[in-house]
Amino acid sequence: DSGVTQTPKHLITATGQRVTLRCSPRSGDLSVYWYQQSLDQGLQFLIQYYNGEERAKGNILERFSAQQFPDLHSELNLSSLELGDSALYFCASSVAGNNQPQHFGDGTRLSIL
Amino acid sequence: EDQVTQSPEALRLQEGESSSLNCSYTVSGLRGLFWYRQDPGKGPEFLFTLYSAGEEKEKERLKATLTKKESFLHITAPKPEDSATYLCAVAASGSARQLTFGSGTQLTVLP
């Protein structure tokens, strides 16, 4: 158990809809990262927050957004969903510093019908 | 652009048959190289961090090594429970905070 909690585990929805994925980091970790994992792309970095502030952006679509709340949990919002958004979405957390290991949750599997 | 290439893509071993997985990387200033294990339906599980060339880390049947261009994950006398996908990732210096992952090596250990 990594200590990172993600909900829900599975999400099935339709094209055009909006969903919110939730992540609770390990106790004491201030950084939260979101990744997308698909069969053809592997693990791709989306966005990072540190203590409530956005720190880095990767290959995140404009239809996607995230935030980190004062209690350090984070939410990833995906809107105007397309079939290609079907993937596993992982959250990871770490202590400060980008040479520290990130610890991953077990992900949310998003299926778009 | 940071790049990580893992080989082979898939590896089948008999129980007890030792082997090595390779991770080649191109990065503008390495802050850390990370090895993870991922089981089906689960998130990546952290194994090791290596920070500088020549460094080695060991855990049970696994040993990770690092040079200036690549890292190896040596698996000694593997067991079926070692079957998983092994992922390599790098953290680069500069403003980037994310990990850049390789595509992984899918290891199957047959009893």
Side-chain angles (χ1 to χ4, degrees), chain B residues 50-93:
Chain B
L50 301 167
Y51 293 108
S52 57
E55 189 174 0
E56 298 182 353
K57 293 272 180 76
E58 282 190 69
K59 180 180 178 180
E60 296 181 355
R61 296 177 291 282
L62 300 177
K63 178 180 176 180
T65 62
L66 181 65
T67 72
K68 288 187 177 180
K69 293 184 179 181
E70 58 191 349
S71 176
F72 292 93
L73 185 65
H74 307 278
I75 303 178
T76 302
K79 298 181 178 181
E81 53 262 42
D82 295 323
S83 298
T85 296
Y86 290 85
L87 297 167
C88 169
V90 297
S93 61

Side-chain angles (χ1 to χ4, degrees), chain A residues 25-80:
Chain A
R26 292 189 322 162
S27 177
D29 286 356
L30 299 179
S31 283
V32 169
Y33 309 78
W34 286 96
Y35 291 83
Q36 180 190 60
Q37 187 177 43
S38 57
L39 285 175
D40 58 342
Q41 293 283 339
L43 266 166
Q44 298 287 315
F45 169 72
L46 296 177
I47 197 164
Q48 181 215 357
Y49 278 80
Y50 174 78
N51 203 21
E53 294 188 3
E54 181 185 305
R55 274 294 178 92
K57 266 187 172 181
N59 300 320
I60 188 167
L61 300 172
E62 285 191 9
R63 301 182 285 108
F64 296 180
S65 64
Q67 52 185 328
Q68 187 180 26
F69 295 86
D71 66 353
L72 300 178
H73 91 271
S74 178
E75 293 181 356
L76 179 67
N77 301 296
L78 315 177
S79 62
S80 303

